[in-house]
Every structure is written in C-alpha cells, then in structure tokens.
C-alpha cells in the first residue's frame, strides 16, 4: 500500500493519532499506530479479533491512558485537544467525542427516554444551576429540559423507537438496543462518534438501516464517524476511509478499494476467517 | 531498641491471629466475590467452642495440657467448620445468583444472629480462662527493660506457621485447590468442566471457619478472656488485613495480617492505645488510595 | 420439588433421612455452645450442662424440618401455595380456601389469646397473620375487581394523611374521652420510627439511587448530633440555627470522607466507609475535652415552639400559657413528632425532586453503569460526592433531631449496628424506593419494638429471660429471612423520572444495584 500522496482525510483531520502504543504488562495491544480520521468521513477500523481495535477506542476516549503516543482532536474553532491528557468524561464534555461499546452499555433499568436525557446531563446540569437553582424553582431549567426532551424525541423518531420511549432500555430487543446506544451517544452532540461494532448481531435488514443511519449522521449532523466493524458489507458500503490493524500494528490505510486489494490485508484476513477475506476480495 | 524488639514480637503474634482470620475473608471473596461479614463472628464462635471444650476436657479429667490442647484444637476446628458450612448453606447459597447486596445483608444479619445467639446461650459477661501456657524466655536485657518471648507467643507463631503451611499445601496441591481456582475464574466454566461448584464453595467456608477456629483458640490462650463481641472488632481488622494484602490473594492475607498486627502494636506502644484501631483503619484507607487493590492484589484495569 | 415419581413410602423415608441429617447437624452446632453453659464458679469458669435444652432444640429442628419436608417441599400441594397465590391472579381452589381460612382462624385465636393474657407478642403474631392473609385477600379482590385504580398512590396518600392526623386525633380523643391510651408511648415510638424513615431515605440516596455501598452512614448521624449538641450547649444557639449548621457539617464530612474513598469500587468502598464510621465513633469516645468521651454531651436544650418553651415552670411566656391551655407533657412530644415528620417529608420531597433533576438521573445512571456515564461526559467523582454529601446532610439533620429529642448524646448511640439497621431498612425496603424504605422502617423498628413487651414470655421461660436479647436475635433472623424471601426488597419496581405517556414502573429485574 502506498503512503505517498496526501489523502483527503489528511487535509482536515478531526483526529490525529501519532505513534499510539498501549501495553498491558508484557502484551502490546497497540503498537506504534499512526493515522488520521477525516472531519467529514466515515472511517472504519478493521482487523481480526484481538488486533487492538477496541483498545485504540479506549485510548481515544480516555478509558485507557496510552503508554506512548499523541492523540490530537481538532476542536470546532481549531483549538486542539490533546486527548491523552484528558480524562474520559472531559473528552466527551470538552473535546466532544462520544462512543458506544462493543458489549452494549445502556442503563438497563432506566427508560429509553431517560437514557437519552442522561446523555444531555451537562447541558441540563448547567441550566439547573447544578440543581441548586432548580430546587429553588428558578426558571430556565424548565425550558432547557423541554428542549432536551424535544431533542431526545427527535432522535427516538430517527431510530424508530418513539413508541417505546417509556419502556425499560434493558427490555428492548438487541438491535434496538444497538441503535439506542448510538442515539444516546449522539445526544451528547459529539463532533466525533466512535462506534465499536455497531452491526454485531444485527440481521441483514437491520444492518441496512444502520448503514443509512450512519450516513445520515455524517451528512446531516456534521459528525465524523469512526467505527470498528467486522461486517465487511457495511464497511465497504459506507466507509470513506479504512484503517487495518493486525496484532496492534497498522498494516493498511486507504480507501475501501485500496484496502480491499492490499496483499497485507488479504494475508491477515486469510489467517483468520475465509468469509471475511472473501468479503474483502469480492466486495459487497 | 529492646522496647522495639519486644513490640515486634508482640506485633507478629497478634498479626498471626489476624492472618489466620483474614484468609477466611480472602478465600470467600475470591471465590464468590462477597464480604462474608459473619466471618468475624465465626471466629468468636470458634473461640467459645474452644473455651467450652477445654473446660469440658478438664472436667472429665484430661489434664495433660498438650493433649488437652490438641483435642481442643481438633474439636474447635470440627465444630466451627459446621458453623461455617451452615451459615453458607442457610444465608448465602439461596442468594448465590442474586443481587450483590442481598448476600451482604444476610451476612450482616448472620453476624447479628451469631453474636446474640452466643450472648443468650453463654451470657454477656466476659469469660476468663486461667493461663494455660505459661512461662517464656528472657532474650536479653537493656537497662531495666527485659525482652521476653513467652511460650504462648512461640506457640501461636509456630501453630500459625504450621497451619498455614498445611493449608497452603492443601490448596496448591490438591484437587480442591484446583476446583477453587477454577470457580474463582469462571464459575460457569468450572461447572461445565465437571467441578462441583456448590461443594467447592461449601468447602471454602469450611476451611475458612477451620482457620478461624484455630485463631479463636490462639486468641483465647493469648488473652485469656473472650466475650461474644470480640468477633466484630477482630473481624473488621482481619478484613482490613485481607484488603490490605489484596483481597483474593492468600499470601496477601497473611502479609496483611502481619502488617495490621504490627501497626496496631506499635501504635499502642509509641502513641496511644485508645487510637490503635483508628491507626489500623486509617492505614487501610491510605493504602487503598494508593494501591486500590491492596499490596499483593492483582492490579485491575477496568475492561471496557 | 414435588416429585411425582416417588411413592409415599419413598417420600417419607427421604423426608425422615433429611430431617435426621438436619438434626445431626443441629446437634453438632449446639452441643457445646448451647448444651453446656459457662458459669462463674469459685475457681474460675465451670460448666453447667443443659441436656434438656439441647434436646429440645434438636427436636425442634428435626420435627420442623420434617413438617417442611412433608407439607411444603416434598408434596404436590405445598402448604405455601395459597399464600403465594394471594399475590397473583391464579384462581383459588377449595383446598386453598380451606388453608387460608385455617390461617385466619389461627391468627384470630392467637390474637384473642394475646388479648386475654394481656400479651403483646401473641397479639402481634395474630395481627401479623391476620393482616397478611386478610389484606392479601382484600388486595387480590380489589385488583381483580378494579384493575385500574392507582393503588400505590392511594396507599401513599393514606399513609401521609394518617401520619399527619394521628397525634392530634388521638390526643383530642384522649383529652375528651379519657380512654387511657398510652399516648406517650405511642408518640415516642412513632418518633423513633419516623427518625429511621428519615435516615433510611437519606441513605437511600447513596445506596439506592447512586449505588454506592455505605456501611458507615451512622458517622454522619453522629456528626449531626454532636454538632448540634456542642453548638447548643457551648454557644447557646437555638434549634433553628443549629439545625442547618448540623446538616451542613455532616454534608461537609460527607465530602471530606468521600473524597479519598470514592475512587474505590464496590466492596472496598463499603469497608472503608465502615472503617470511617468506626474512626468517628472512636474519636468521639476518646476526645474527652470536646466530646465528653464516653459520658457524651448532656443538657441539650429541648426545642421550643418558635421561642415558646414547653415547660410548666419557665419564667415568662411558655407554649401552654400562650395558647391558654393547661400544661401537658405531651405537647412537647407532639411538637417533636411533627418536627421529625416535617424533616422526613422534606427529605422525601427533596429526594423526589432531585431524582427528576439532572443530578438525580446521573446518580441512577451511575448505579446502572458508571463507564457508560463517563462516556457521556458525566463526572462520576463529582456525582458520587454530591450523592454522598446529600445523603450525609439528611443523616446530619436526623442526628440534630436525635440530639434535641434525647437531650443527651453519647458515642454508644452511633455504633456499627445502627448503620447496619439503616442499611437493612434500605435494602429490605427495596433500593431506590421511597415507599419501600418507609414500609421497611415501620416493619423493622415497629416489630422490633413490639418484642419489648414480652412479660408473658417471661412467665413461660422464667424470670431470667431477657427479651431485649431475643429482639436482636430475631432482628438478625428477620434480616436473613426477608432477604432470602425477597432479595430485591419489598418494593423493587422503579418509577421512571420522565415519560411521554403513562409510563409503567420498571421491573426490578432490570434495575441494577451498582458496583460502588
Ligand atoms: N484492560 C486490559 N488488560 C489486559 N489486556 C487487555 C486489556 N484490554 C485489552 N487487552 C488485550 O489487548 C488485546 C487487544 O484487545 P482488543 O483491543 O479488545 O481487540 P479487538 O477489539 O481488536 O478485538 C487483546 O489481547 C486483549 O486481551
Ligand atoms: Mg473489540
């Protein structure tokens, strides 16, 4: 794969990852990976199981402190955030990076709507005067809550869960939970949305709907998407840019077409699963 | 220097007792992830069983001290183990797959039950026992201060070392130990691969109670007085020891026991005896803040 | 475990074997600690054998287990079925009705016996059986007849109305008709119960909403009580000045203690809070110059009715003179009752309001999944601190009330067992449920208190019988029993904090309990 020539995502990257390394004791889960994520792109991170993809996400979103490397997120007004210096909640609140989890992490005992309201915590908390104001009955909070409710409803509508707003999130079918988790992340109004295997466990029809949803997020919400995905159909169909990890190392980085024909990638995938390799070679 | 050495001896003795109890906490925590709050009271029941057994043996004419002690040890371990088994069976097993807080509440309930049961059955008064193991060795003298290691201290440390060695062999060399470790890692997988999970957990409680009974006997011999309430304070300190060493880790429990024993003894000796428990508990908080999983506990990175 | 494959004889044999085994275990358990009693003799301890007692206990275990085996576990028609059916809509059959009828008769007989003997324990037992079966039947009938009534709300409203009018109405009735009702006792007991309701609600914020296991809650109760006691006795400040200061001091301590420990997770947090509770108690016990050590602080002034003291002798204006009514010691008690009722209701109102505010939702979200919370930009450390401080504040307010009610505080009132009782109330009530906590407080504290009246039991078991000891024993057994029976507590469903339509309550099976 050629690294020559500036790629579109290098011009206005929202996220710049440089020499990211993460070690757990003797195990190097991510090994000196460098890449950029474009501001208007859907970028896919692929690789066999255990390649270190989730670990990359955890470093970006502050759940792990990288052993080495720099993670720069360019803010909306151009100010950079150095993610490796921020903690997890600051990364969401200030750098505006949101994420979902490989093993869905909803608030199962709260309703669908409550899940989306919790996601707007920081806005609402400020409006409530950190609760002191609202408890004394000062204005503005009611308004802010009304707005938050509308925003949540608009998202429920988009993911087709408006009718289930008052049901417990833990009681939803699997596919709905996946979409709800994405909507919840979007309710923090992120500039970069990191999705960890959003299509895992979905049927063909649901994957189709998911692809459409992700595209609409990129195009309408002005949010860049960075996703980990094993479903090559989804990856090839919607990604602008694909990065391949194997044993923690980046082995390829380019457009879907470039990556698909990359011999390193084919080798890596052949070593793991014929199905995925076939998907890579044949395309969707 | 002499004073220091004397405190060191006292601290190690006390620490041995804490260590024996701490193992019970740590094993149970390791295998089913709960604080067996009633374990301190199992220790107390063990001490009472030892006391009564000793008096009973004396009454029927077993007066040779070594023989009597050996018999008391066996009886105490045996009967206390039944208590440990029963507590698990009655209060914890029905809640095995339940919510995390439920067994903690039943454990606190069991602790209340055991304390009050003993108080009712044996009375609230403290129970003194004439010194059984007397004498000791003067190590050396410095000024007017003589460093003494008493026979009972030797007995306690030697017994602890022997019991712990035996226990260590038991869990590192036998099928039981393997089953325990299997259950610790993944109870479902262990069950699927043929480990009898219920039996392993029961045996864990039985072993823990047995060790607590040894501690109870040693405590009785060392202090010569027990009451129904000793389980609470000693239990908390032993738990502190287990956490200190890194809960789930058996060597950690022994080490933690020693450290807590030493802290308590030195604090009493050099600062104030009233605040010795404050010292032990504060150390717990301080250590946990810097080593959130204890000294020998496996560091735990939250998997996300 | 109704095993149809077994013949009658096989069942009997297995029941007998099982019971025998239980009896043997009971014998091993009790042989030494119950069968032999240590008594102080002339030359130290001696033993007093009690074979009769030991045999009785072993026999009770044997026959009890046998009865359970035969009538509950190993039969196709367990005797417990009709009682379980009280709580669902399965139709009753003839046998169920006979069993329930028998239970009602049994309850009535016990109750009557209690009345005749003047023995509260029998009355209580009878009342419990009658209430359980009677209310169960009533509830079932109502739910079948009118399925759509808001029962919970009606129940809550009824409870609050009862609490509001109970003292005035009983006092008025007593003043007019002189029934000889033991009002002083009733008011004292209600005040005690309400104090625990308030403490339960305060701790519920930390444990039930935020999912942080706090085993040292009594520390904040103590801080509030001592702050109040010292301010009132040393600086002569009035009740209404001291009360908020006590609350603030407790909240401050909540933050001070919370700060280092909130990085800890789950059981580590539990044990460190326990340690802090003990540290505070030990300091109170030993810092004699300030806290009075074991003697505590005495002479704490009673609250006044907005400046009017409740006193027969005081110079100047008093409550009774002001209202032109004769002095009655009960006035002060009724005032205290309303004071704690208001404090408890304020606690409840604030909690319910906070639940609907961002911070309250963040508490619950944290209990559900802390990692998800952090991924949504919620600062969990601050959120935990806010829960800790809020809970501590209510504990401190309750402590201040305790100090003024008792007129005296000492470290003895703030032992671990208090923390355990409060936590038990929260967990048994159903974590996060305000109603459940209130019911649990009434049941636990009220039931506990009822066991005090056991003169009749003394007639049976002899003068040495000290009911206070059995109270704690039964309390412990109840804790274990209720938890095994309902691990989620009495009221486990969770009410959503915001909804588009009429939201149902969320089944307790989905709600998490937090990992600290
Ligand atoms: N917290 C952790 N502690 C130890 N090892 C970890 C941790 N998180 C991830 N790993 C290891 O890092 C490697 C990469 O894991 P991961 O990033 O989850 O892979 P992927 O998401 O690509 O399947 C795996 O070997 C995994 O076991
Ligand atoms: Mg992964």
């Amino acid at each position: 794969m050629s690294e020559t020539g500036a790629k579109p995502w290098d011009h206005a990257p929202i996220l710049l990852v440089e020499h990211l390394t993460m070690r757990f004791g003797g195990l190097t889960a991510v090994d000196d990976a460098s890449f950029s994520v474009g501001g208007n792109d859907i970028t896919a991170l692929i690789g066999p199981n255990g390649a270190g993809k989730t670990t990359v996400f955890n470093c970006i979103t502050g759940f792990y402190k990288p052993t080495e490397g720099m993670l720069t997120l360019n803010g909306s007004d151009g100010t950079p955030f150095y993610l490796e210096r921020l903690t997890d909640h600051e990364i969401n609140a200030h750098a505006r990076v949101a994420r979902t989890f490989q093993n869905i992490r909803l608030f199962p005992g709260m309703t669908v709507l409550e899940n989306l309201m919790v996601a707007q915590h920081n806005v609402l908390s400020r409006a409530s005067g950190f609760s002191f104001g609202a408890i004394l009955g000062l204005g503005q909070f009611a308004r802010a809550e009304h707005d938050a409710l509308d925003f949540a409803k608009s998202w429920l509508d988009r993911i087709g869960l408006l009718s289930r707003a008052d049901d417990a999130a833990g009681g939803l079918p699997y596919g709905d939970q996946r979409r709800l988790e994405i909507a919840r992340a979007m309710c923090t109004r992120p500039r970069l949305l990191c999705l960890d295997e959003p299509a895992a466990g979905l049927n063909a029809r649901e994957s189709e709907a998911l692809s459409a949803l992700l595209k609409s997020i990129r195009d309408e919400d002005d949010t860049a998407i960075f996703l980990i995905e094993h479903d090559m159909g989804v990856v090839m169909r919607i990604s602008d840019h694909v990065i391949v990890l194997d044993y923690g190392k980046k082995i390829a980085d380019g457009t879907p077409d470039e990556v698909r024909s990359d011999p390193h990638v084919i080798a890596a995938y052949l070593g793991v699963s014929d199905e995925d390799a076939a998907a890579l070679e044949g395309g969707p | 220097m002499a004073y220091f050495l004397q405190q060191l001896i006292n601290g190690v003795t006390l620490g041995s007792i804490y260590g024996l109890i701490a193992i019970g906490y740590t094993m149970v925590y390791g295998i089913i992830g709960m604080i067996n709050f009633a374990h301190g009271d199992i220790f107390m029941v063990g001490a009472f069983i030892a006391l009564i057994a000793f008096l009973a043996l004396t009454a029927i004419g077993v007066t040779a001290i070594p023989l009597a002690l050996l018999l008391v040890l066996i009886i105490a371990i045996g009967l206390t183990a039944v208590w440990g088994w029963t507590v698990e069976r009655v209060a914890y097993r029905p809640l095995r797959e339940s919510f995390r807080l439920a067994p903690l509440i039943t454990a606190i309930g069991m602790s209340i039950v055991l304390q009050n049961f003993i108080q009712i059955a044996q009375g609230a008064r403290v129970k003194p026992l004439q010194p059984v193991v007397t004498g000791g060795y003067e190590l050396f003298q410095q000024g007017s201060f003589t460093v003494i290691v008493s026979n009972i201290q030797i007995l306690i440390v030697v017994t602890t070392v022997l019991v712990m060695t035996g226990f260590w062999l038991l869990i590192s060399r036998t099928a039981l130990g393997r089953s325990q470790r299997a259950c610790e890692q993944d109870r479902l997988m262990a069950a699927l691969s043929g480990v009898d999970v219920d039996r392993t957990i029961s045996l864990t409680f039985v072993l823990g109670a047995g060790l607590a009974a040894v501690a109870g006997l040693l405590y009785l011999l060392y202090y010569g007085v027990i009451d129904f309430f000793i389980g609470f304070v000693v239990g908390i300190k032993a738990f502190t020891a287990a956490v200190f060493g890194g809960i789930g880790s058996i060597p950690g429990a022994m080490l933690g026991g020693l450290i807590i024993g030493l802290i308590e003894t030195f604090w009493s000796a050099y600062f104030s005896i009233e605040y010795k428990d404050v010292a032990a508990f504060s150390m717990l908080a301080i250590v946990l803040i810097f080593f959130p999983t204890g000294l020998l506990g496996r560091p735990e990175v939250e998997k996300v | 475990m109704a095993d149809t494959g077994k013949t009658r004889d096989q069942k009997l044999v297995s029941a007998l074997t099982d019971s025998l085994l239980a009896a043997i275990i009971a014998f091993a358990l009790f042989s030494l600690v119950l069968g032999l009693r240590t008594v102080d003799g002339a030359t130290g301890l001696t033993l007093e054998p009690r074979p009769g007692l030991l045999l009785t206990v072993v026999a009770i275990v044997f026959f009890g287990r046998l009865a359970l085996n035969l009538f509950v576990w190993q039969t196709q028609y367990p005797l417990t079925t009709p009682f379980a059916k009280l709580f669902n809509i399965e139709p009753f059959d003839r046998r169920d009705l006979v069993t329930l009828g028998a239970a009602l008769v049994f309850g009535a007989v016990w109750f009557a016996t209690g009345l005749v003997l003047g023995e509260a324990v029998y009355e209580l037992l009878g009342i419990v059986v009658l209430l359980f079966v009677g209310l169960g039947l009533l509830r079932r009938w109502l739910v079948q007849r009118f399925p759509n009534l808001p029962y919970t709300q009606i129940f809550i409203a009824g409870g609050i109305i009862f609490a509001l009018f109970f003292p005035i109405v009983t006092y008025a009735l007593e003043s007019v008709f002189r029934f000889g009702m033991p009002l002083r006792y009733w008011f004292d007991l209600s005040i005690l119960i309400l104090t625990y309701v308030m403490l339960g609600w305060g701790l519920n914020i930390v444990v039930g909403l935020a999912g942080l296991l706090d085993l040292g809650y009594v520390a904040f109760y103590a801080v509030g009580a001592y702050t109040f006691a010292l301010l009132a006795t040393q600086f002569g400040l009035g009740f209404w000045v001291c009360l908020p200061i006590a609350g603030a001091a407790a909240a401050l301590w909540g933050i001070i203690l919370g700060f280092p420990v909130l990085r800890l997770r789950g059981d580590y947090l539990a044990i460190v809070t326990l340690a802090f509770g003990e540290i505070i108690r030990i300091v109170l016990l030993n810092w004699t110059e300030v806290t009075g050590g074991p003697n505590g602080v005495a002479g704490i002034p009673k609250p006044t009715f907005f400046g009017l003291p409740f006193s027969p002798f005081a110079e100047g204006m008093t409550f009774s003179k002001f209202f032109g009514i004769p002095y009655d010691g009960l006035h002060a008690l009724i005032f205290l009752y309303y004071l704690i009722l208001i404090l408890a209701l304020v606690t409840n109102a604030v909690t319910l309001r906070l639940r609907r505010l961002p911070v309250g939702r963040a508490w619950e979200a944290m209990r559900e999944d802390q990692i998800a919370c952090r991924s949504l930009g919620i600062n969990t450390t601050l959120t935990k601190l806010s829960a800790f401080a809020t809970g501590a504040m209510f504990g401190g307010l309750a402590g201040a009330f305790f100090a003024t009610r008792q007129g005296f505080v000492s470290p003895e009132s703030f032992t671990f067992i208090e923390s355990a009782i409060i936590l038990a109330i929260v967990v048994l009530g159903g974590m996060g449920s305000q109603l459940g906590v209130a019911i649990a407080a009434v049941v636990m504290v009220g039931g506990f208190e009822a066991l005090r009246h056991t003169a009749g039991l003394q007639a049976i078991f002899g003068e040495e019988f000290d009911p206070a000891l059995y109270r704690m024993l039964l309390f412990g057994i109840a804790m274990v029993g209720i938890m095994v029976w309902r691990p989620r507590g009495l009221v486990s469903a969770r009410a959503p904090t915001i909804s588009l339509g009429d939201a149902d309550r969320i089944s307790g099976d989905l709600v998490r309990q937090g990992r600290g």
Side-chain angles (χ1 to χ4, degrees):
Chain A
M1 194 215 93
S2 67
E3 292 278 355
T4 52
K7 298 287 164 63
W9 44 85
D10 291 329
H11 290 312
I14 185 166
L15 175 69
L16 200 63
V17 174
E18 292 163 289
H19 305 291
L20 177 64
T21 300
M22 181 79 213
R23 289 192 200 96
F24 298 109
L27 178 97
T28 308
V30 181
D31 193 355
D32 194 26
S34 302
F35 55 85
S36 52
V37 174
N40 305 312
D41 289 349
I42 293 180
T43 308
L45 180 62
I46 64 172
N49 272 327
K53 304 180 297 293
T54 300
T55 305
V56 168
F57 267 33
N58 285 335
C59 292
I60 294 173
T61 51
F63 284 93
Y64 294 165
K65 280 271 157 275
T67 317
E68 279 164 35
M70 271 181 58
L71 302 155
T72 315
L73 189 117
N74 292 313
S76 46
D77 54 357
T79 47
F81 292 97
Y82 302 105
L83 301 185
E84 73 278 5
R85 297 181 199 164
L86 299 179
T87 55
D88 38 27
H89 65 90
E90 290 167 339
I91 289 179
N92 178 279
H94 305 313
R96 310 257 307 276
V97 178
R99 69 171 292 179
T100 64
F101 297 87
Q102 186 169 350
N103 311 307
I104 304 178
R105 284 183 177 272
L106 288 169
F107 305 122
M110 302 176 88
T111 65
V112 168
L113 182 62
E114 283 178 314
N115 269 269
L116 300 192
M117 295 301 279
V118 171
Q120 304 180 63
H121 174 83
N122 285 326
V123 179
L124 287 172
S125 181
R126 239 169 281 127
S128 75
F130 302 96
S131 302
F132 295 111
I135 246 187
L136 299 175
L138 301 187
Q140 32 168 343
F141 177 66
R143 247 195 87 97
E145 186 167 45
H146 188 260
D147 293 345
L149 191 61
D150 281 345
F151 191 58
K153 279 200 282 196
S154 73
W155 265 103
L156 287 178
D157 201 25
R158 265 176 92 172
I159 59 171
L161 284 181
L162 195 50
S163 61
R164 305 211 57 175
D166 295 336
D167 295 347
L172 295 181
Y174 190 79
D176 290 350
Q177 294 201 9
R178 282 256 175 238
R179 270 178 298 140
L180 178 60
E181 204 190 11
I182 295 174
R184 186 182 67 179
M186 285 307 292
C187 278
T188 66
R189 298 172 200 255
R191 298 187 56 246
L192 174 66
L193 175 64
C194 301
L195 303 174
D196 199 342
E197 304 198 12
L202 302 191
N203 61 36
R205 198 170 44 78
E206 287 173 326
S207 307
E208 195 70 40
L210 177 76
S211 303
L213 177 67
L214 297 189
K215 278 194 204 157
S216 83
I217 289 176
R218 174 192 59 188
D219 299 334
E220 294 163 25
D221 296 271
D222 194 26
T223 298
I225 293 180
F226 190 23
L227 87 158
I228 296 173
E229 191 43 73
H230 282 300
D231 182 335
M232 286 307 147
V234 173
V235 169
M236 294 300 157
R237 195 158 52 232
I238 65 173
S239 317
D240 304 296
H241 171 195
V242 178
I243 298 159
V244 189
L245 276 191
D246 192 22
Y247 293 109
K249 289 201 168 67
K250 186 178 89 172
I251 58 169
D253 184 345
T255 63
D257 286 330
E258 288 168 353
V259 166
R260 196 192 321 238
S261 51
D262 191 303
H264 292 98
V265 178
I266 295 169
Y269 267 82
L270 280 177
V272 176
S273 144
D274 293 345
E275 232 175 88
D276 286 340
L280 268 167
E281 281 177 283
Chain B
M1 183 57 210
Y3 189 62
F4 179 88
L5 197 69
Q6 182 67 61
Q7 299 313 324
L8 194 68
I9 294 168
N10 297 350
V12 169
T13 312
L14 186 60
S16 305
I17 294 177
Y18 289 153
L20 283 170
I21 308 170
I23 291 178
Y25 281 109
T26 229
M27 273 198 305
V28 167
Y29 193 91
I31 200 161
I32 52 176
M34 73 168 279
I35 301 178
N36 177 12
F37 209 89
H39 188 62
D41 298 291
I42 291 284
F43 151 79
M44 177 273 295
V45 171
F48 267 88
I49 290 176
L51 171 70
I52 295 170
F54 187 80
L55 293 175
L57 286 173
T58 319
I60 60 172
V62 183
T63 40
I65 297 290
L67 177 65
L69 285 185
L70 191 66
L71 287 176
V72 168
L73 185 71
I74 293 168
I75 295 172
I77 291 179
L79 293 187
T80 313
V82 180
W83 277 97
W85 181 87
T86 309
V87 167
E88 193 271 338
R89 186 67 191 77
V90 170
Y92 307 151
R93 193 180 296 179
L95 297 169
R96 183 88 45 81
E97 302 306 324
S98 187
F99 314 97
R100 184 175 63 94
L101 275 181
L104 184 70
I105 297 294
T106 51
I108 294 175
M110 265 300 164
S111 159
I112 295 176
V113 169
L114 290 179
Q115 267 176 36
N116 287 278
F117 168 70
I118 292 294
Q119 191 185 358
I120 291 168
Q122 297 295 333
R125 306 266 298 269
V126 296
K127 304 287 168 186
L129 181 68
Q130 248 105 57
V132 178
V133 183
T134 47
Y137 302 94
E138 292 186 7
L139 287 188
F140 64 91
Q141 196 157 9
Q142 191 181 54
S144 62
F145 192 85
T146 318
V147 179
I148 296 172
V149 52
S150 61
N151 286 337
I152 179 66
Q153 287 177 320
I154 296 172
L155 179 74
I156 288 175
V157 174
V158 169
T159 311
T160 305
V161 169
L162 285 179
V163 168
M164 284 195 182
T165 316
F167 170 75
W168 184 249
L169 288 177
L170 186 69
I171 59 155
S172 58
R173 297 282 163 80
T174 64
L176 170 66
R178 267 196 304 285
S179 308
Q180 271 186 330
R181 285 191 296 279
C183 292
E184 266 174 44
Q185 302 212 324
D186 189 334
R187 219 183 299 152
L188 187 66
M189 275 310 292
L192 289 177
S193 42
V195 174
D196 185 339
V197 173
D198 278 345
R199 206 174 135 248
T200 309
I201 294 177
S202 280
L203 277 174
T204 305
F205 276 84
V206 163
L207 276 180
L211 292 178
V214 178
L217 170 62
L218 297 179
Y219 184 97
L220 173 70
L221 294 176
Y222 192 41
Y223 289 103
V225 44
I226 57 174
D227 64 50
F228 71 95
F229 201 63
I230 54 170
F232 178 69
V233 180
V234 176
I236 295 185
K237 284 194 205 142
F239 185 81
T240 305
V243 172
F244 217 132
I247 200 156
S249 151
I250 287 170
M254 303 178 188
L255 180 70
L258 272 184
I259 295 177
I260 292 291
L262 288 171
I263 289 176
E264 188 180 323
T265 313
F266 277 102
W267 191 277
S268 315
Y270 287 98
F271 301 103
S272 71
I273 200 155
E274 290 89 15
Y275 288 104
K276 67 183 180 11
D277 295 353
V278 172
F281 296 148
S282 312
M283 269 317 277
L284 170 76
I286 293 166
V287 166
L288 278 179
I289 286 159
F290 292 104
F291 306 87
T293 49
L295 294 177
L296 299 188
R298 270 160 275 163
E300 181 184 306
V301 182
E302 278 180 310
K303 275 220 175 187
V304 179
Chain C
M1 277 159 262
D3 193 344
T4 44
K6 283 188 188 169
T7 67
R8 267 185 100 87
D9 287 350
Q10 279 171 330
K11 273 187 200 167
L12 193 63
V13 169
S14 81
L16 279 171
T17 343
D18 175 86
S19 312
L20 197 64
L21 212 62
I24 291 171
I25 290 170
F27 182 77
L29 289 178
F30 298 127
S31 53
L32 288 193
V33 281
L34 202 63
L36 296 169
R37 186 185 165 96
T38 47
V39 284
D40 297 321
T43 55
L45 287 179
T46 55
L47 289 175
E48 171 198 298
R50 293 185 293 189
L53 182 64
L54 179 63
L55 276 184
T56 315
V57 171
V58 173
I60 290 176
V61 170
F62 177 78
F63 288 109
R65 185 98 183 164
L66 191 64
L68 280 175
N69 266 315
L70 291 181
F71 299 119
V72 181
W73 292 331
Q74 299 205 5
T75 160
Q76 276 172 297
Y77 176 71
L79 263 187
T80 43
T81 322
F83 300 101
K85 280 190 190 172
L86 281 177
F87 295 94
N88 57 36
I89 45 166
E90 252 180 89
F92 287 128
D93 59 23
R94 271 261 295 290
R95 275 188 308 193
D96 295 336
L97 290 175
V98 171
T99 313
L100 289 174
L104 283 174
V105 172
F106 174 81
V109 168
W110 272 98
F111 182 67
T113 319
L115 279 185
V116 172
L117 296 180
E119 176 45 60
V121 166
Y122 296 168
E123 279 176 45
L124 185 81
L125 193 76
I127 291 175
V128 167
V129 174
L130 285 175
L131 280 183
F132 185 79
V133 179
L135 287 182
L137 283 171
L138 182 68
R139 196 196 84 107
R140 192 181 140 107
W141 179 77
L142 278 173
V143 171
Q144 278 173 355
R145 196 70 209 287
F146 313 101
N148 293 324
L149 289 183
Y151 289 103
T152 315
Q153 279 85 334
I154 293 175
F155 186 75
I156 293 173
I160 292 179
I161 290 172
F162 176 79
L164 279 175
F165 288 102
F166 158 69
I168 315 193
V169 170
T170 48
Y171 183 70
L173 287 178
E174 182 65 34
S175 322
V176 177
F177 295 109
R178 305 255 163 239
F179 290 121
M181 291 186 278
L183 286 189
R184 170 166 291 279
Y185 170 68
W186 285 0
F187 293 165
D188 270 330
L189 179 57
S190 337
I191 290 172
L192 186 70
I193 290 178
L194 284 173
T195 312
Y196 277 97
V197 170
M198 174 164 178
L199 287 168
W201 279 341
L203 183 62
N204 198 20
I205 294 175
V206 184
V207 180
L209 294 183
L212 303 168
L213 186 47
D214 181 353
L215 288 181
Y217 190 61
V218 77
F220 306 122
Y221 189 42
V223 167
Y226 269 87
T227 307
F228 185 94
L230 293 175
L231 286 176
T233 55
Q234 306 293 314
F235 301 98
L237 297 179
F239 176 80
W240 296 106
V241 181
C242 295
L243 185 73
I245 300 181
L252 187 69
W253 272 97
I255 293 174
I256 292 172
L257 296 191
F259 210 73
V261 306
L262 287 175
R263 286 161 29 118
L264 306 175
R265 307 208 42 198
D267 301 292
Y268 288 106
L269 177 69
I271 205 72
V272 174
T273 50
L274 191 161
F276 273 142
E278 282 297 295
I279 290 177
I280 291 212
R281 192 179 61 81
I282 297 169
V283 171
L284 292 177
L285 196 59
N286 291 300
W287 195 16
T288 318
E289 308 86 72
V290 176
T291 64
N295 299 326
V297 182
I300 304 164
K302 296 277 169 190
T304 57
F305 187 81
F306 304 101
L308 300 172
F310 295 94
S311 161
F313 326 109
E315 301 283 312
M317 217 33 166
T318 67
F319 177 80
S320 39
K321 280 189 213 156
F322 185 83
F323 288 99
I325 45 177
Y327 171 80
D328 185 338
L330 286 177
H331 293 162
L333 219 47
I334 295 177
F335 178 67
L336 282 174
Y337 174 93
Y338 281 108
L339 194 59
I340 184 67
L341 182 65
I342 290 168
L343 283 173
L345 289 179
V346 166
T347 308
N348 182 43
V350 171
T351 309
L352 290 181
R353 179 78 188 119
L354 284 174
R355 264 195 90 211
R356 294 166 166 276
L357 288 178
V359 66
R361 287 206 194 104
W363 289 340
E364 291 200 83
M366 203 164 64
R367 175 194 68 205
E368 297 281 313
D369 194 325
Q370 275 189 44
I371 289 176
C373 270
R374 301 211 299 263
S375 83
L376 299 172
I378 296 175
N379 183 339
T380 47
T381 310
L382 281 185
T383 311
K384 285 180 186 179
L385 273 183
S386 65
F388 235 65
T390 315
M393 180 185 74
F394 289 123
L397 294 177
F401 174 81
F402 174 81
T404 186
R405 189 198 81 161
Q406 299 284 97
F408 161 72
V409 290
S410 76
E412 253 170 60
S413 311
F414 307 105
T415 52
F416 167 72
I417 203 74
E418 288 295 314
S419 289
I421 290 174
I422 303 167
L423 181 69
I425 285 174
V426 172
V427 178
L428 296 175
M431 298 205 339
S433 160
Q434 299 289 94
L435 174 62
V437 169
I439 295 176
V442 174
V443 171
M444 298 301 277
V445 183
F448 193 63
E449 178 59 29
L451 289 172
R452 194 193 287 278
H453 308 281
T454 43
L457 286 181
Q458 265 170 336
I460 298 175
F461 291 106
E463 284 302 312
E464 276 176 59
F465 180 88
D466 178 2
L469 297 180
Y470 287 81
R471 285 202 302 165
M472 266 334 267
L473 184 69
L474 288 174
F475 186 80
I477 293 174
M479 266 169 91
V480 177
I482 299 181
M483 222 56 248
V484 171
W485 173 50
R486 295 196 75 146
R488 291 238 122 212
L490 298 172
V491 183
S492 62
R494 171 182 175 274
T497 60
I498 188 170
S499 65
L500 296 184
D502 317 314
D504 284 335
R505 297 167 76 81
I506 295 171
S507 150
D509 297 331
L510 291 173
V511 181
R512 298 216 175 130
Q513 290 199 331
R515 287 282 301 144

